[in-house]
Amino acid sequence: MSDYRKTKLYDSHQSLKAKLVPFSGFWMPLQYSSIIKEHHHVRSKCGLFDVSHMGEFIVSGNNAKTFLQNVTTNNIQNLEAGKVQYSAFCNDSGGVIDDLLVYHLGDCYMLVVNASNIEKNFEWLSSNLIDDVSLEDKSDTMSLLALQGPLSRTHLKNCLLYTSPSPRDRTRSKN
C-alpha cells in the first residue's frame, strides 16, 4: 500500500469501510456498500465524491486570460467570475493533450486536470507561459469534493445555510 498516495480523506474512507483501490497513483474509494445502489442514489438524489487526486493549477497575473485563451480550446472570454468551463489543451498539431476544467475565481483561474497527467500538463503549460503570468501547482495542498446528482444544489444550499447563515439568509430560509 505504500506505493500509492492517500488523499486527506483516506482515513475517513477507511473508517467508513470503503473498498479502496489504486487509481492514478492514489488509494481511492470504489464503493462503500453496493456500486449499483450508490449509482442509483446519485442518479436520483446526490452523492459526494472525493476527487482530491485531481491536479489543481492556479493561473494569475495581468495576462492570465490571454495565456488561457492561447492554451485552451474554448473561448475564455465567455467565462464569467464564479463560473467553470470545460476545455482541452491541444498540441501544435491539434491533437488533444488532455481535457480540463477552468474555474474563474475572480482575480485568478484554477485549472483542474486529470490526476495521471499532472506533471505532463504542468510542464506543457510552463513551456507556453507568457510575460506577466504566474503558474502554480497546488495539487499537493488542495483537496476537492464533488457533489453530484439532481438534488446536489438543494443539499449544498442547506449545508451552506446551516453552517454559516447570514441574518438575511435565515430570514429567507424560513419562508
Side-chain angles (χ1 to χ4, degrees), residues 2 62 87 102 124 126 146 152 158 167 169 174:
S2 62
N62 290 332
S87 197
V102 180
W124 183 80
S126 296
S152 59
N158 289 338
D169 289 334
K174 291 179 181 177

Side-chain angles (χ1 to χ4, degrees), residues 19 30-42:
K19 179 180 180 181
L30 178 64
Q31 68 183 60
Y32 291 90
S33 59
S34 158
I35 287 180
I36 300 296
K37 285 181 185 177
E38 292 171 19
H39 167 80
H40 288 297
H41 188 83
V42 172

Side-chain angles (χ1 to χ4, degrees), residues 80-98:
E80 299 173 19
K83 299 294 183 179
V84 63
Q85 182 182 77
Y86 176 73
S87 197
F89 300 131
C90 288
N91 61 29
D92 293 336
S93 302
V96 175
I97 295 171
D98 202 4

Side-chain angles (χ1 to χ4, degrees), residues 1 29 33 50 54 66 74 88 110 127 144 152 161 168 174:
M1 274 178 82
S33 59
D50 180 3
M54 301 292 281
T66 301
N74 282 330
M110 180 171 73
S127 72
L144 290 178
S152 59
L161 291 176
R168 183 176 169 191
K174 291 179 181 177

